[in-house]
Amino acid sequence: MNKSETQNLAQDTTVADSLSLRLPLPAGIDAAKAQAKTEAALKWVTPYGRLGPVATFVLPRRSR
Amino acid sequence: MIEDDIIDADLADLADALGRGAVSAEQVAARYSERVSLHGDALAAFVSFDEPGVMAEARSRDVSFRTSGPIGPLHGVPVAIKDVIDVAGQPTTACSALLKDNVATRDAQVIAQLRAAGAIPFGKTTTHEFAIGGPSFDLPWPPARNPWAPTHHPGGSSSGSGAGLAARLFPGALGTDTGGSVRNPATNCGLVGLKPSMGAASNDGVVPLSPSFDCVGPMATTIAGCARLGAAFLPGLDRWRDVPVRGRKVGLVRRWHRSDFDASPSMDGAFEAAAEALGRAGATLIEIDPGPLGEYSGTAFLIRMAEAYAIYRRDMAERPESFGALTLQRIAAGAFISAADFIDAVRHAETLRTRWDAASADCDVVLTLSSFDPACPIDDLETFEANYGRQARAPFNMTGHPAIAVPTGFDPDGLPLGVQLVGPMGGEAACLAFGAAIESALKAHLLRPPGLGLGESAQLKPITA
């Protein structure tokens, strides 16, 4: 995987995809709302912003 | 004991009457079954109610009584069971289509403990789906209604336990509490509900939601009733009368409902009325600041949702149509929590536990609000969602401390109000003792919901602000 492919993957990957969800969220769920609730809670417990760790989390799995 | 007395008595007095043979288990079961047939459907309190089975067990208790006296301190007392707790031979559905044909093959440990004390499991009560997704109208069973205002939510997730208890369809009930699900219906319905210390009650045979937080808890109309019921599976609870209130210290947490959130004036008034009652009982009141409520609630939310998603993700993906929409939406939040986030949350929970213990170190118990608003209309999902996080119960599922909801009176619309007392780990008896001081002063337990054949209520002045 070259650098541009890596960048494209990172840009195309949604947050939900990135969190190693092997099963898709079913239709009818407002994913943005669910994510927003989680993001609001995460500010209390993690020093990281959401988008930083996502890329590093995704790429090794996608390159296997 | 005459028939009206059976319904009017609280659980402890009824148990005493049964224990000395003043009334038979069959008489009690028949009287409550009659009330179930009259009001159970309108309040949607039950998922299932096996009247022949209940009556057979009651007659069996009477036979046993005649030969060898009472089995235990709950001899012949009917106790309704939230439909996430296994009762042998009865359905356990968790109000979900996924489990609609599930029948328990054995008793949960808490049920075995209740039976050993002589109690009779009295039907399976309505719950939010899997103790999280309600109030929902898209499940196989309708949501329970609040006896004080049937257009309103009785609180959840132990909704049927709260609704049926307030309507005196049974004298005691079990609920489960993962983020406040015993204490919320207790507050909304004017009842006493105890979440024990984490790990004090067995979760064997209980449908899980968040195993780090799930607790079985007793619900009753009075402190004494709650204590008697809970003592069957929480050792030491029956020693609550030995705990003094006079001369002891009560922490007051006002920042959560005045600074972090803005509680309704009537709930704020309920807090002040309870604080004043404790002061009059001889307790010393100390304002404490445990830090922001959102930090506790947010951290608890992450752990609860990650664990719930871990349990239900496969069914969510493979059979989503079998869930109610609210259940799916709520549990979906857990899909966005990584393993690292979860570990951060678990570590932060330990920090918050330490912070709470430091803030409350000088106190025997701490007074907070339970809900920040009275019950809302059951079909007003927008208000329900807005109020969902306006509560101070979830922190103590995370810290593990025991916490009890105590009724304080009613708002001008006739909706119940209440507060929460939080004890140190293992301090259930202190929660009950200080709760009894509030109960004795404010007498909210004397009121009865209208229109259910319960007679005239004592008239108490509504709490406004």
Side-chain angles (χ1 to χ4, degrees):
Chain A
M1 182 178 289
N2 62 37
K3 188 177 177 183
S4 65
E5 284 174 327
T6 302
Q7 286 171 335
N8 286 340
L9 259 183
Q11 286 164 2
D12 292 345
T13 304
T14 67
V15 173
D17 286 342
S18 75
L19 294 179
S20 65
L21 295 179
R22 293 176 177 82
L23 302 168
L25 287 175
I29 289 179
D30 183 342
K33 183 179 174 185
Q35 182 183 349
K37 282 195 166 188
T38 302
E39 297 280 353
L42 280 169
K43 75 177 183 184
W44 296 108
V45 305
T46 175
Y48 299 110
R50 209 47 171 130
L51 295 178
V54 165
T56 56
F57 201 163
V58 170
L59 295 178
R61 183 165 64 87
R62 287 294 178 92
S63 62
R64 275 202 294 268
Chain B
M1 185 174 231
I2 62 173
E3 288 207 339
D4 281 350
D5 291 341
I6 292 172
I7 301 303
D8 209 40
D10 87 319
L11 184 145
D13 289 341
L14 181 63
D16 286 343
L18 281 156
R20 62 176 185 269
V23 63
S24 72
E26 185 175 12
Q27 283 177 297
V28 171
R31 185 73 180 96
Y32 277 108
S33 293
E34 181 187 359
R35 288 194 61 76
V36 171
S37 67
L38 286 172
H39 306 292
D41 286 348
L43 294 170
F46 286 95
V47 172
S48 60
F49 180 68
D50 173 21
E51 183 175 355
V54 164
M55 294 309 301
E57 193 159 355
R59 285 189 284 272
S60 165
R61 292 288 187 283
D62 288 337
V63 169
S64 166
F65 186 88
R66 284 192 289 274
T67 56
S68 51
I71 291 174
L74 295 176
H75 184 95
V77 176
V79 178
I81 311 297
K82 182 178 181 178
D83 197 29
V84 297
I85 304 172
D86 282 346
V87 176
Q90 301 289 314
T92 300
T93 72
C95 270
S96 177
L98 282 159
L99 295 179
K100 66 181 170 57
D101 298 320
N102 179 51
V103 175
T105 55
R106 65 183 185 90
D107 283 339
Q109 186 171 330
V110 289
I111 300 301
Q113 290 169 306
L114 285 185
R115 287 196 206 270
I120 299 173
F122 193 76
K124 305 297 294 291
T125 54
T126 315
T127 170
H128 291 178
E129 187 178 25
F130 293 120
I132 191 169
S136 297
F137 292 86
D138 58 353
L139 304 178
W141 299 269
R145 302 275 175 165
N146 192 322
W148 294 96
T151 54
H152 282 56
H153 188 233
S157 62
S158 308
S159 311
S161 291
L165 190 51
R168 304 314 195 257
L169 306 189
F170 36 81
L174 294 191
T176 60
D177 192 315
T178 303
S181 288
V182 160
R183 292 162 286 161
N184 180 213
T187 300
N188 276 17
C189 295
L191 303 165
V192 177
L194 174 68
K195 182 206 81 72
S197 304
M198 185 63 210
S202 170
N203 284 331
D204 167 71
V206 180
V207 176
L209 175 62
S210 172
S212 295
F213 295 171
D214 295 340
C215 290
V216 176
M219 302 171 70
T221 58
T222 63
I223 291 286
C226 186
R228 177 71 70 93
L229 174 57
F233 57 96
L234 298 166
L237 209 64
D238 48 358
R239 292 196 291 271
W240 67 277
R241 291 182 197 275
D242 299 336
V243 178
V245 171
R246 180 167 298 281
R248 299 303 174 100
K249 293 178 180 171
V250 177
L252 306 179
V253 180
R254 288 193 176 93
R255 73 162 283 171
W256 285 0
H257 65 269
R258 287 198 175 166
S259 303
D260 298 345
F261 289 85
D262 186 15
S264 72
S266 56
M267 278 299 186
D268 188 277
F271 181 94
E272 297 305 320
E276 187 183 337
L278 291 167
R280 283 204 306 271
T284 301
L285 308 178
I286 311 166
E287 188 86 27
I288 68 168
D289 182 356
L293 174 57
E295 188 168 357
Y296 289 83
S297 300
T299 306
F301 172 88
L302 293 169
I303 298 170
R304 185 171 66 247
M305 290 308 174
E307 292 191 347
Y309 183 67
I311 291 169
Y312 293 109
R313 60 181 172 165
R314 179 170 182 173
D315 284 326
M316 287 172 68
E318 295 180 357
R319 296 189 285 173
E321 71 286 351
S322 298
F323 287 86
L326 274 178
T327 314
L328 280 179
Q329 183 64 45
R330 294 208 176 113
I331 297 179
F336 296 90
I337 300 166
S338 71
D341 294 334
F342 179 74
I343 290 167
D344 279 344
V346 169
R347 286 180 174 158
H348 198 62
E350 189 56 39
T351 300
L352 293 175
R353 203 171 291 126
T354 302
R355 186 191 298 172
W356 174 267
D357 282 338
S360 62
D362 293 334
C363 307
D364 294 276
V365 294
V366 175
L367 177 69
T368 76
L369 275 181
S370 170
S371 297
F372 296 166
D373 309 279
C376 70
I378 196 166
D379 56 356
D380 182 357
L381 193 57
E382 190 176 338
T383 301
F384 183 85
E385 289 290 334
N387 291 352
Y388 197 69
R390 289 170 51 81
Q391 49 101 342
R393 294 177 290 267
F396 305 105
N397 295 88
M398 179 182 65
T399 64
H401 296 94
I404 192 168
V406 182
T408 58
F410 295 80
D411 77 356
D413 295 325
L415 294 169
L417 304 170
V419 294
Q420 173 175 251
L421 288 164
V422 184
M425 286 299 287
E428 285 84 353
C431 293
L432 290 160
F434 286 79
I438 295 172
E439 179 181 89
S440 175
L442 302 181
K443 303 188 188 313
H445 63 294
L446 297 179
L447 297 182
R448 303 285 183 270
L452 295 169
L454 294 170
E456 290 296 313
S457 290
Q459 294 300 306
L460 298 185
K461 185 180 174 186
I463 293 175
T464 50

